[in-house]
Amino acid sequence: MTTLVLGHKSPDTDSTGSPIAWAWYLTHSGTPAKPVLLGEPNTEAAFVLTHWGLDKPEIVSGVAAGTPVVIVDTNNPAELPDGINAADIRQIIDHHKLVGGLETKGPIDITIRPLACTATILYDLMGQEALAAAPRGIKGAMLSCILSDTLEFRSPTTTPHDRAVAEALAADLGVAIPELATALFEAKSDISAFSDAALLRMDSKEYTVAGKELRVSVLETTAPKLVLDRKDSLMAAMEAVAREDGADQVLLFVVDILNEEATLLVPNDLVKTMAEKSFGATVSGDTVLLPGIMSRKKQIIPALTL
């Protein structure tokens, strides 16, 4: 039976490119595999597919019981299909904190490393012999994943190893990192085709903080004004999105990649209190600027409190 390789819901570049890369490696190594997505890829991920000539993986809403599965770029059941524990989970490769809640049919291979990107881990696991045989598109997707997740090495999650792997891939491909990163971020910043609800869910994860169920959303962009010009309608949409998704509140952080700062939308007193207690900020309007805040994983989630 073909092994399915999948990342998290609301697939970004890493959760699109890493399933493609690892499915190629498994198949190359003698285990038939195919990548699948748990939703439409975001604009940056869609650009990566086109730029490197890769087919968009099939989009699935669930996985049949007993299907062999490899999970990459998450280990959180909330970011995976309902019934994922009925699948035959064979492997997990991730760079996020261990959440718990996944069940397997037997002992499995788990690799979770404190790196900025899943694709960096895949590079290490593949080894040089397999990488030498990898098609250009596979290596290009891996490089794109690393540049995306590190925000071209600006994110505080970036490690020297992430940078070294990206530079090795770029040299192999004959690609200039600044040029590729600029194209990635331009694609990421194009939000014109998305509704407010879609933007709130585009790069979003669910967390519980002080008994509150939160949908913590991040929009990384080189053109924050395009997002902030829509702040009134975005805040108006938060209540319906929270209700539909079973959350108490949506938090939206607009990350300015070039200026290395985030703007948090403040629609109500709950978010105002959370901003002040979590970040030591003084909130006087419906937005608050958070200098130096770039990473949900390393800077936002660990700080959130009420």
Side-chain angles (χ1 to χ4, degrees), residues 52 135-141 143 167-176 180:
W52 295 109
R136 181 175 176 82
I138 295 298
K139 290 185 277 194
L143 172 59
E167 290 174 347
L169 285 166
D172 185 8
L173 293 164
V175 169
L180 177 58

Side-chain angles (χ1 to χ4, degrees), residues 39-302:
E40 283 289 342
N42 68 17
T43 51
E44 183 186 71
F47 166 81
V48 169
L49 295 176
T50 300
H51 183 77
W52 295 109
L54 298 166
D55 293 332
K56 184 171 79 172
E58 178 186 359
I59 296 174
V60 301
S61 58
V63 177
T67 302
V69 168
V70 172
I71 298 170
V72 300
D73 197 30
T74 186
N75 68 86
N76 186 349
E79 298 175 355
L80 294 163
D82 292 339
I84 187 64
N85 285 335
D88 182 9
I89 301 172
R90 300 282 181 88
Q91 187 176 30
I92 298 171
I93 306 170
D94 193 16
H95 66 123
H96 297 93
K97 71 175 184 177
L98 184 63
V99 175
L102 291 176
E103 297 180 9
T104 64
K105 307 299 183 186
I108 70 167
D109 184 356
I110 299 178
T111 304
I112 300 178
R113 296 180 181 172
L115 295 167
C117 183
T118 307
T120 305
I121 305 172
L122 301 189
Y123 181 95
D124 293 341
L125 295 177
M126 286 181 183
Q128 292 304 309
E129 184 176 346
L131 287 164
R136 181 175 176 82
I138 295 298
K139 290 185 277 194
M142 294 169 68
L143 172 59
S144 300
C145 290
I146 298 170
L147 295 181
S148 175
D149 268 11
T150 66
L151 298 177
E152 196 188 1
F153 316 131
R154 294 177 177 88
S155 171
T157 62
T158 307
T159 69
H161 188 55
D162 291 293
R163 180 188 285 267
V165 169
E167 290 174 347
L169 285 166
D172 185 8
L173 293 164
V175 169
I177 284 177
E179 291 179 9
L180 177 58
T182 295
L184 290 170
F185 301 152
E186 285 178 353
K188 189 198 296 272
S189 300
D190 182 6
I191 62 168
S192 57
F194 294 93
S195 68
D196 293 323
L199 284 179
L200 293 173
R201 294 184 173 108
M202 181 178 291
D203 185 357
S204 185
K205 296 178 184 288
E206 300 170 15
Y207 297 92
T208 302
V209 175
K212 295 291 185 181
E213 298 296 326
L214 302 177
R215 176 170 285 287
V216 183
S217 303
V218 172
L219 287 177
E220 299 165 337
T221 177
T222 55
K225 185 177 185 298
L226 296 178
V227 182
L228 296 175
D229 282 349
R230 294 172 57 171
K231 66 182 175 67
D232 291 342
S233 60
L234 284 165
M235 289 190 292
M238 286 179 177
E239 183 176 350
V241 168
R243 183 175 61 253
E244 292 167 9
D245 295 355
D248 294 302
Q249 181 64 52
V250 176
L251 302 181
L252 178 61
F253 295 81
V254 182
V255 173
D256 184 334
I257 297 171
L258 300 181
N259 289 317
E260 301 186 19
E261 61 190 18
T263 299
L264 171 64
L265 273 58
V266 184
N268 53 41
D269 287 341
L270 172 66
V271 180
K272 179 178 185 290
T273 299
M274 186 167 286
E276 292 178 339
K277 289 188 175 182
S278 302
F279 303 103
T282 299
V283 181
S284 59
D286 57 9
T287 64
V288 59
L289 186 66
L290 304 172
I293 298 298
M294 301 279 285
S295 169
R296 174 172 47 206
K297 178 173 63 177
K298 193 166 184 176
Q299 295 173 302
I300 294 174
I301 297 304

